Amino acid sequence: MSIVEKAAEKLKSLQPEPPAPRLEEPEVAVLPRVEGPTVERLQERIRTVDEPAGKAGQPWHVDQHALQRAGLLPVEDEAGGRLADEVRRAKRPLLDNLGRADMNGPARAERIMVTSSVPGEGKTFTAVNLALSLAREPDFEVLLIDADIPKSDITRVLGLEGKPGLMELLADERLRPANVVVQTDVPNLLVLPAGERHPLAAELFGGQRMEYALEALGVRDRRRLLVFDSSPLLATPESQVLASRMGQIVMVVAAGCTRHHEVNSALNSLTASQYIGLLLNMSRLPAIENHHYSHYSQPSHYLFQDR
Ligand SMILES: Nc1ncnc2c1ncn2[C@@H]1O[C@H](COP(=O)(O)OP(=O)(O)OP(=O)(O)O)[C@@H](O)[C@H]1O
Ligand SMILES: [Mg+2]
């Protein structure tokens, strides 16, 4: 054996044995597609939820006095009765559109979004009263969804702050609607809280998972209506994205307040495929007309004249 061959043999004997091949690769954690510090926080909170919200024990109590104190529900007097009638009138065309789904009615008519051009026009008030009124219909179940992520008034007034909601459902692919939908003690009324604020709310509303969530939230053996409270169309990008996924839009207009060009811009941000109902709110007309409802197939028309 030459010197070179001897050196090679020596070197070989000093090499450590190669490790035995593994039979199984270690499991790789599946990460959700959306990443970032906020999402990590959301996931941390989701891990703390063992039971579907509202299913663990009693249904969630809807505190009607808290809603009244917050100005979101009228007291049960004569004016409250008149408002209930106005809401009844306002819901009728929305219900009629559900029956027209196969004909020339809007697609996805069960997705109803309450919105407005600018803040403070009565969106949350209308969404709450519309949802309660629809829940009294014998053939439907209503899921009231707090999609006003920046304000989350419904979530706060119902005492659902800190619970996972729409944002968590969209940010974590492992989460199912049953983990976040809250069963309430109002017959046929469920609530989906907003969840934690998220800087990418518009992107989440526009993502594929939003469509999955909407399908999953709506599918039931009973007919389920989705009523969305939202932020103003001209104030946040996510509302316009959300509107594009809806079948019906209730556009609240504060009488004598909202400017002509604001309503016009908001209507122009919507697509022509949706049914759009304009609801004239807080008008000084006689009480019976205070919640005046009008509907438009083309968003280029509007209800009132420039001031
Ligand atoms: N038809 C109505 N009758 C009596 N009060 C109303 C009516 N509509 C709205 N309000 C009152 O007006 C105020 C604003 O209403 P609401 O919070 O529903 O507006 P919003 O459009 O949701 O506002 P934001 O853009 O801040 O979310 C509330 O104090 C509410 O009580
Ligand atoms: Mg609101």
Side-chain angles (χ1 to χ4, degrees):
M1 194 182 282
S2 70
I3 295 173
V4 175
E5 283 168 335
K6 276 184 189 160
E9 276 300 306
K10 178 83 175 163
L11 199 59
K12 212 169 154 188
S13 70
L14 292 175
Q15 297 272 352
E17 284 292 308
R22 296 177 67 107
L23 292 178
E24 286 179 16
E25 287 299 316
E27 270 190 25
V28 179
V30 180
L31 293 174
R33 280 188 206 127
V34 192
E35 290 172 29
T38 312
V39 172
E40 281 155 23
R41 272 207 318 279
L42 294 178
Q43 287 162 355
E44 198 49 48
R45 290 173 65 236
I46 289 159
R47 273 191 279 278
T48 65
V49 180
D50 299 318
E51 296 284 340
K55 294 263 168 83
Q58 298 295 314
W60 194 260
H61 175 54
V62 172
D63 186 346
Q64 311 238 345
H65 295 298
L67 285 169
Q68 284 169 348
R69 280 196 301 277
L72 295 179
L73 197 65
V75 288
E76 286 168 14
D77 59 6
E78 200 184 326
R82 279 198 300 269
L83 187 115
D85 281 344
E86 292 294 334
V87 178
R88 265 187 205 108
R89 262 191 282 279
K91 75 178 170 180
R92 196 47 50 198
L94 302 172
L95 290 169
D96 288 347
N97 279 332
L98 290 161
R100 298 197 308 126
D102 297 339
M103 297 177 283
N104 285 332
R108 301 165 176 159
E110 74 285 359
R111 300 180 190 173
I112 302 167
M113 173 180 178
V114 180
T115 192
S116 71
S117 321
V118 292
E121 297 194 68
K123 293 178 294 299
T124 306
F125 180 92
T126 302
V128 167
N129 285 281
L130 183 64
L132 287 170
S133 186
L134 287 168
R136 286 185 210 110
E137 294 286 325
D139 303 327
F140 296 99
E141 181 175 75
V142 178
L143 173 57
L144 176 61
I145 300 173
D146 190 352
D148 185 349
I149 308 305
K151 287 208 173 153
S152 336
D153 279 344
I154 291 177
T155 303
R156 183 175 44 78
V157 175
L158 293 183
L160 292 166
E161 277 171 317
K163 288 206 175 285
L166 180 57
M167 284 295 95
E168 286 78 0
L169 182 64
L170 298 181
D172 190 328
E173 293 182 353
R174 293 164 301 182
L175 218 57
R176 297 288 169 266
N179 301 120
V180 288
V181 169
V182 175
Q183 184 88 46
T184 77
D185 62 357
V186 174
N188 298 327
L189 182 74
L190 305 137
V191 175
L192 176 55
E196 188 166 305
R197 274 192 206 178
H198 196 295
L200 298 179
E203 285 77 5
L204 290 174
F205 280 1
Q208 271 188 350
R209 185 156 167 84
M210 181 66 174
E211 195 51 42
Y212 150 76
L214 289 172
E215 290 289 329
L217 288 167
V219 171
R220 286 293 176 276
D221 46 356
R222 293 194 65 196
R223 294 179 79 188
R224 182 184 282 183
L225 306 178
L226 308 182
V227 176
F228 292 80
D229 185 24
S230 69
S231 45
L233 283 169
L234 301 184
T236 60
E238 64 259 28
S239 262
Q240 291 184 16
V241 179
L242 183 66
S244 69
R245 296 192 178 277
M246 296 293 119
Q248 308 202 66
I249 309 267
V250 176
M251 173 93 162
V252 181
V253 179
C257 249
T258 316
R259 309 295 296 264
H260 179 161
H261 69 89
E262 290 170 329
V263 181
N264 211 13
S265 301
L267 289 173
N268 283 333
S269 74
L270 303 171
T271 65
S273 62
Q274 298 140 342
Y275 171 89
I276 301 165
L278 287 191
L279 195 146
L280 186 63
N281 192 27
M282 300 188 282
S283 80
R284 294 201 188 96
L285 296 170
I288 191 74
E289 296 168 40
N290 257 355
H291 229 81
H292 187 80
Y293 199 71
S294 168
H295 56 88
Y296 291 82
S297 53
Q298 297 295 324
S300 54
H301 300 106
Y302 29 80
L303 185 64
F304 55 90
Q305 300 298 309
D306 209 358
R307 290 192 294 155

